[in-house]
């Protein structure tokens, strides 16, 4: 049974085995004795203790785990033992000699550098991480901000997510040097002495030493061919992973910027009632506020792309600060709420088109058989659809009384024959709704007008309805019932509104405009259409028929009929019939 000791190391509480505690205590005392006359001794010791506490934290799975000799030995091997430590032999007699001479290596980690910063140290930290001068990183930020407009958001996100290098150990890790006692001491002394060129020389010597170690290790006979192949493979795999990380960052950042712009331009604009967005509100028949729909879309789409962006940063930055479980679960909750909200909005929107009802108004016209009716379309100053009319064209405007109404050109014309003695016009108004009553009321609230005067029928080229009815697929279908033998003339303005096919009893198409049509039994006849040209063209080895004439060949004869006349030839007889008469020649 071993006794445990509770210690406070750099403000962090640990349970440690008594033997491990004695060894750690002797190690720290040896460091203090070696730094008796050193400048910045207290700061060096504090940073060494903070680094040891950090290494212990990496090896402890929970706050009740006890630090043993194994963990202390691992930490000492990483931190190293300077040769001038004045320690008793018995304290470290079990320490392997190779560990004291071995230099640990570490990979670079991304931190914000507060010692060389203009704003938050992001550029300087990136420069350390990629091994370039900070001026190039700052120039890249300027290009991103001015050229692409994405730099500000990216800089702010890196400012939030990348930790600041506060301790000496973190500042050493930022440069890629091993975090041991000698480097901590060197870093702090360099800060006190403020000798920049000494730090540079030391850094160069460390880099050269690392290269020499790398070269020697490659040349070592202990390294096999397969190890080298594995390292090459891992090298290219890491490059590919970094490329994927950059791609994820670009995709995530671009999408987030687009969503933010969309939210500000649509959602916020609707919340403060900026004119012009009422058109979008007309489409949302479920009366859901536009700002709420925009916010739901922003969270539903933006949160996955934020995590995509964060994943790209994690791939590029090994020590990226976590956003924390609270933030992760909060974002997950917001995403689920947004998805559920969009589903509810979608169901409400779909339910507004569940029923399609009609309201029919039929009116007689004083047109009888043998009368001639002219049909035209009328426009107004508020709405004037062009010839390339689309059924979903609409406009929001104010009428003469100042009321806001919807104008749309969804008007269709059909013509049918009737056995009645007088003509009639049937105006069929239709609209969608969440139930029968709503759809019927919206259909009744459609305003559509026509005018008949002196055998001329003028139809409105549009329908109107109040904005409270929303855009619910309102349309007007007009059916003209004309007695047989009536003549009708459709002005060219009716062409976009006439049906294009003959179906459901329709006897006039858009191709019949600008012509007089006589109404027959379930049919119509054009009275002034040009006669259709008859054209036949045949070309076979023995018969040829075209606009030049007719030629017929047989084994022993040939006949040609054209504008010049008729020619027939055989082995015995030749016949030529033209304007000069008939000429017959025979061999006999």
């Amino acid at each position: 049974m071993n006794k445990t000791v509770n210690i406070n190391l750099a403000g962090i509480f640990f349970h440690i085995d008594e033997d491990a505690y004695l060894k750690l205590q002797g190690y720290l005392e040896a460091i203090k004795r070696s730094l008796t006359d050193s400048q910045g001794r207290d700061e060096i010791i504090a940073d060494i203790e903070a680094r040891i506490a950090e290494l212990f934290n990496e090896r402890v799975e929970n706050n009740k785990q006890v630090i043993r000799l194994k963990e202390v030995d691992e930490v000492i091997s990483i931190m190293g033992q300077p040769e001038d430590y004045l320690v008793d032999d018995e304290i470290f007699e079990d320490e392997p000699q190779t560990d004291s001479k071995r230099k640990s290596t570490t990979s670079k980690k991304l931190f914000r550098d507060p010692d060389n910063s203009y704003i938050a140290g992001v550029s300087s930290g990136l420069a350390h991480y990629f091994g370039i001068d900070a001026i190039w990183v700052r120039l890249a930020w300027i290009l991103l901000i001015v050229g692409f407009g994405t730099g500000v958001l990216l800089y702010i996100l890196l400012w939030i997510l990348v930790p600041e290098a506060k301790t000496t150990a973190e500042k050493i890790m930022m440069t890629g040097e091993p975090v041991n006692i000698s480097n901590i001491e060197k870093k702090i002394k360099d800060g006190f002495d403020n000798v920049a060129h000494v730090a540079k020389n030391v850094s160069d010597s460390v880099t050269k030493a690392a290269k020499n170690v790398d070269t020697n290790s490659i040349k070592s006979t202990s390294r096999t061919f397969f190890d080298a192949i594995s390292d090459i493979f891992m090298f290219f795999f890491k490059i590919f992973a970094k490329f994927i990380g950059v791609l994820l960052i670009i995709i995530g950042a671009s999408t987030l910027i687009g969503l933010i712009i969309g939210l500000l331009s649509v959602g916020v604009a609707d919340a403060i009632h900026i004119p012009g967005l009422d058109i979008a509100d007309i489409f949302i028949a479920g009366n859901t506020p536009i700002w709420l729909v925009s916010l739901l879309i922003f969270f539903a789409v933006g949160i996955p792309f934020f995590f995509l962006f964060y994943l790209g940063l994690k791939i590029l930055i090994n020590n990226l600060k976590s956003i924390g479980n609270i933030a992760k679960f909060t974002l997950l909750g917001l995403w689920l709420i947004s998805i559920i909200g969009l589903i509810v909005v979608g169901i409400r929107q779909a339910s507004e088109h569940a029923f399609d009802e009609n309201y029919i108004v039929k009116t007689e016209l004083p047109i009888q058989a043998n009368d001639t009716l002219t049909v035209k379309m009328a426009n107004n100053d508020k709405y004037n659809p062009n010839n390339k009319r689309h059924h979903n064209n609409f406009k929001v405007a104010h009428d003469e009384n100042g009321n806001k109404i919807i104008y749309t050109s969804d008007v269709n014309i059909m013509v049918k024959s009737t056995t009645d003695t007088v003509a009639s016009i049937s105006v069929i108004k239709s609209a969608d709704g969440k139930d029968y009553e709503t759809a019927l009321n919206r259909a009744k609230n459609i305003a559509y007008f026509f005018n008949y005067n002196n055998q001329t029928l003028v139809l409105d080229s549009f329908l109107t309805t109040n904005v409270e009815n929303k855009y619910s697929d309102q349309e007007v279908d007009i059916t003209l019932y004309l007695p047989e033998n009536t003549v009708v003339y459709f002005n060219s303005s009716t062409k976009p509104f006439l049906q294009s096919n003959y179906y459901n009893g329709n006897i006039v198409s858009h191709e019949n405009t600008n012509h007089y049509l006589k109404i027959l039994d379930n049919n119509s006849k054009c009275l002034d259409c040009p006669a259709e040209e008859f054209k036949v063209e045949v070309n076979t080895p023995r018969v040829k028929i075209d606009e030049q004439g007719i030629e017929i060949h047989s084994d022993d004869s040939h006949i040609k009929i054209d504008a010049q006349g008729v020619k027939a030839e055989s082995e015995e007889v030749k016949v030529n019939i033209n304007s000069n008469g008939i000429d017959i020649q025979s061999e006999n």
Side-chain angles (χ1 to χ4, degrees), residues 150 244-256 309:
T150 60
I244 295 298
V246 172
L247 190 64
L248 293 179
I249 289 174
I250 294 174
I251 294 173
S254 301
T255 305
L256 288 173
F309 174 82

Side-chain angles (χ1 to χ4, degrees), residues 313-554:
L313 288 178
K314 290 285 286 184
I315 293 174
L316 288 179
I317 305 170
N318 297 329
N319 63 319
L320 185 68
K321 185 167 60 176
S322 175
I323 62 176
N325 289 331
I326 295 177
K328 290 178 182 177
F329 285 113
T330 301
L331 291 174
L332 178 62
L334 280 174
W335 183 76
L336 291 175
I337 292 172
S338 302
I339 293 297
I340 294 172
L342 288 175
I343 292 174
V344 172
V345 171
I347 293 174
R348 290 185 60 182
Q349 183 70 12
S351 66
E352 291 292 335
H353 299 272
F355 290 84
D356 181 11
E357 295 299 333
N358 298 327
Y359 180 71
I360 303 174
V361 178
K362 191 170 184 178
T363 306
E364 287 189 352
L365 298 175
I367 295 293
Q368 299 179 356
N370 300 318
D371 289 343
T372 299
L373 174 66
T374 301
V375 182
K376 300 178 180 180
M377 304 302 293
N379 300 319
N380 72 352
D381 296 334
K382 297 287 185 180
Y383 188 74
N384 186 13
N386 55 33
N387 290 332
K388 296 181 179 179
R389 178 184 64 99
H390 298 286
H391 291 290
N392 57 354
N393 277 354
F394 79 96
K395 176 183 178 181
V396 178
H398 292 83
D399 61 9
E400 293 78 6
N401 300 320
N403 299 319
K404 190 181 293 184
I405 58 176
I406 301 173
Y407 288 82
T408 177
S409 59
D410 202 349
V411 179
N412 304 289
I413 303 174
M414 294 181 64
V415 181
K416 296 182 179 181
S417 63
T418 180
T419 57
D420 296 339
T421 56
V422 294
S424 62
I425 178 172
S426 178
V427 179
I428 305 171
K429 306 175 182 180
S430 61
D432 295 342
K434 63 182 178 181
D435 50 41
Y436 171 79
E437 291 79 9
T438 303
L440 185 59
N441 285 332
R442 287 176 176 173
K444 288 181 177 180
N445 288 329
I446 294 175
Y448 183 80
F449 303 99
F450 63 88
N451 181 44
Y452 175 81
N453 184 25
N454 194 22
Q455 294 188 338
T456 300
L457 179 64
V458 181
L459 304 170
D460 277 352
S461 59
F462 57 89
L463 61 93
T464 61
T465 187
N466 195 285
V467 292
E468 296 177 355
N469 296 314
K470 303 291 184 177
Y471 184 76
S472 305
D473 290 337
Q474 289 94 341
E475 67 175 335
V476 169
D477 292 314
I478 300 171
T479 303
L480 279 174
Y481 295 95
L482 300 178
E484 296 180 15
N485 296 319
T486 301
V487 177
V488 61
Y489 178 86
F490 285 94
N491 186 273
S492 58
S493 61
T494 62
K495 186 172 184 178
F497 302 90
L498 284 168
Q499 296 292 334
S500 58
N501 298 315
Y502 299 95
Y503 74 98
N504 197 22
N506 181 47
I507 58 176
V508 176
S509 77
H510 64 84
E511 296 178 350
N512 300 130
T513 56
N514 291 331
H515 292 292
Y516 288 93
L517 306 175
K518 185 176 182 179
I519 303 301
L520 305 177
D521 182 16
N522 292 325
N523 202 350
S524 63
K525 178 183 178 182
C526 182
L527 300 179
D528 58 348
C529 295
E532 295 184 359
E533 296 181 356
F534 178 77
K535 184 177 181 180
V536 178
E537 188 169 327
V538 179
N539 190 1
T540 65
R542 293 182 176 272
V543 179
K544 181 179 180 181
I545 303 175
D546 57 17
E547 58 185 6
Q548 302 297 327
I550 301 173
E551 288 188 46
I552 302 175
H553 297 269
S554 65

Side-chain angles (χ1 to χ4, degrees), residues 223-239:
R223 184 163 185 168
T224 65
F225 171 77
F226 294 102
D227 292 332
I229 294 297
S230 176
D231 288 344
I232 294 172
F233 175 78
M234 289 303 298
F235 172 75
F236 285 105
F237 178 77
K238 289 179 180 179
I239 292 178

